[in-house]
Amino acid sequence: MKIIIIGAGMAGLSAARTLTQKGHEVIVLDKSRGVGGRMATRTIENAKADHGAQYFSVKTTEFQSLISELQSDNITAEWHIAQRENVRYIGAKGMNTIPKKMASLLSVFVNEKVVLIENNTVKTESGNIYPFDNLLITMPIPQVIDLFQNSKMILSEKDKSVFSEIEYKPCIAVMAVLKEPTKIVSGGIILENKSVAWIADNFQKGITETPTVTIHASSAYSVKRFDDDIHEVEKDMLSSVNQYINSENIVSSQTHRWRFSNATKRYEAHFYQIENRPIYLAGDGFGIGNVEGAFLSGYYLGNGF
Ligand SMILES: Cc1cc2nc3c(=O)[nH]c(=O)nc-3n(C[C@H](O)[C@H](O)[C@H](O)COP(=O)(O)OP(=O)(O)OC[C@H]3O[C@@H](n4cnc5c(N)ncnc54)[C@H](O)[C@@H]3O)c2cc1C
């Protein structure tokens, strides 16, 4: 059985890993230059900053078994944030080392944006055509809807009602390279500030030798300023965290706009099958959400075959 998976984020890689272990022939396609999706680490000159997911929790035995395996290879590490009681986990050398490690044992093709689904094949922007018996799609639902519309797929009322249950919030992320690390206790702080929700010191986190910080805007601020001039927004966000990061300490900065960051409303099951088609949807829009929810979504979908 040929299975194509769209998306090499946590959900797609988790499904691919489960299916490969069960002996299925699986190909994962991703539009980006690298794997990981929102588990993202950016290199800025010789510095690194996690600018998507910052850390994750491990609540289930299924996810624990992957994390224990990664921990023994020093891919993950524990992170104790002063404002959080329970231990959190990170990629020891950056969040994207986790999906990179998972992908290393799988058949993954990057720079392959799927633009069309037609007669049990997917077509990518580069012109390649991949036949499938089953298709697993793991990107955020608004992007799935765009793909279905391009493919002129007719959906049932049930399909549409499942889609309408899932919502994501945007997040503006500023990354700044610093001269010196910050004095933020434990390297991460959750703020009540109106514009900024979170600051991480990536040096204290242990992922970079050159100090950097990641600053995440609040949901309300991200919604309000998403399409505004990026340099103005960056300046505004940096000035609002001046008490933690003095402007004289900043060497350079970059900003990334995540249109879909966390799924704030989700479909309660771990995955969903499009009615009367061999097409399945998974990702953090299903189940418990976040990194662990994306893992579980892919894991349970993969186990269903
Ligand atoms: C700013 C931010 C902060 C976050 N903080 C946390 C946190 O602290 N803790 C936590 O647990 N979670 C956090 N999250 C959420 C977490 O990152 C996600 O829930 C999880 O990584 C989602 O994984 P996924 O596989 O479902 O989707 P994704 O990681 O989005 O993977 C989908 C993949 O599909 C690919 N794709 C899209 N369209 C196409 C196409 N047409 N063809 C081919 N490929 C395509 C994309 O390139 C992407 O790689 C955060 C996310 C963001 C953005």
Side-chain angles (χ1 to χ4, degrees):
M1 181 163 46
K2 269 196 168 58
I3 300 174
I4 297 290
I5 299 178
I6 309 178
M10 179 49 95
L13 295 173
S14 163
R17 180 182 143 96
T18 308
L19 287 162
T20 305
Q21 282 166 353
K22 292 177 82 178
H24 292 291
E25 193 187 329
V26 183
I27 288 178
V28 186
L29 305 173
D30 201 290
K31 67 177 180 181
S32 299
R33 272 184 299 150
V35 300
R38 283 171 274 163
M39 295 179 78
T41 308
R42 186 176 289 190
T43 302
I44 311 168
E45 290 143 36
N46 56 351
K48 287 205 287 185
D50 285 333
H51 62 299
Q54 298 294 294
Y55 54 76
F56 54 85
S57 51
V58 181
K59 297 179 192 130
T60 57
T61 49
E62 295 89 336
F63 195 38
Q64 183 64 63
S65 109
L66 170 70
I67 298 309
S68 301
E69 196 184 309
L70 293 170
Q71 199 111 343
S72 61
D73 287 335
N74 298 317
I75 301 293
T76 55
E78 293 185 358
W79 194 20
H80 300 264
I81 303 158
Q83 291 154 290
R84 288 277 182 260
E85 224 169 82
N86 298 330
V87 62
R88 296 295 198 273
Y89 294 84
I90 56 171
K93 291 290 167 217
M95 200 55 99
N96 74 353
T97 55
I98 297 171
K100 275 185 181 167
K101 176 73 179 177
M102 291 170 78
S104 65
L105 303 170
L106 302 168
S107 200
V108 181
F109 298 99
V110 293
N111 292 316
E112 282 286 63
K113 179 175 182 178
V114 175
V115 289
L116 194 72
I117 306 168
E118 197 175 47
N119 303 329
N120 280 28
T121 67
V122 295
K123 189 172 180 191
T124 61
E125 210 164 47
S126 58
N128 291 327
I129 292 174
Y130 299 85
F132 64 80
D133 297 307
N134 289 284
L135 176 66
L136 280 48
I137 309 182
T138 66
M139 66 260 209
I141 294 302
Q143 296 176 335
V144 177
I145 294 172
D146 286 347
L147 177 61
F148 286 173
Q149 278 170 355
N150 288 344
S151 308
K152 302 201 168 24
M153 271 177 59
I154 295 163
L155 299 170
S156 71
E157 288 310 312
K158 171 81 195 297
D159 298 335
K160 288 182 201 162
S161 102
V162 169
F163 292 174
S164 71
E165 287 183 37
I166 304 170
E167 271 179 38
Y168 306 78
K169 284 274 188 291
C171 179
I172 302 173
V174 173
M175 292 148 275
V177 179
L178 307 180
K179 292 177 195 152
E180 303 284 342
T182 68
K183 296 196 168 41
I184 293 169
V185 179
S186 76
I189 185 164
I190 299 158
L191 294 174
E192 300 297 333
N193 183 323
K194 280 192 185 119
S195 51
V196 169
W198 162 257
I199 310 173
D201 181 325
N202 294 293
F203 177 84
Q204 286 196 53
K205 205 174 168 184
I207 71 160
T208 178
E209 283 175 18
T210 301
T212 68
V213 281
T214 302
I215 303 156
H216 280 169
S218 65
S219 293
Y221 184 90
S222 299
V223 168
K224 192 165 157 228
R225 308 244 17 211
F226 199 78
D227 295 314
D228 288 354
D229 181 87
I230 202 162
H231 302 293
E232 290 300 321
V233 172
E234 185 175 297
K235 221 162 73 185
D236 187 46
M237 283 176 62
L238 286 172
S239 78
S240 76
V241 294
N242 197 36
Q243 73 181 105
Y244 301 100
I245 307 149
N246 192 295
S247 59
E248 283 165 17
N249 192 16
I250 299 174
V251 178
S252 66
S253 54
Q254 296 185 3
T255 298
H256 183 87
R257 285 180 280 217
W258 295 98
R259 192 168 290 282
F260 310 107
S261 65
N262 297 69
T264 44
K265 289 190 186 163
R266 298 176 297 276
Y267 183 62
E268 64 176 2
H270 287 297
F271 60 88
Y272 175 72
Q273 180 178 9
I274 297 295
E275 285 203 313
N276 306 315
R277 292 179 198 262
I279 300 179
Y280 299 80
L281 306 183
D284 67 340
F286 299 84
I288 64 170
N290 282 334
V291 169
E292 183 164 19
F295 167 83
L296 292 172
S297 175
Y299 173 85
Y300 280 110
L301 176 53
N303 261 315
F305 285 86

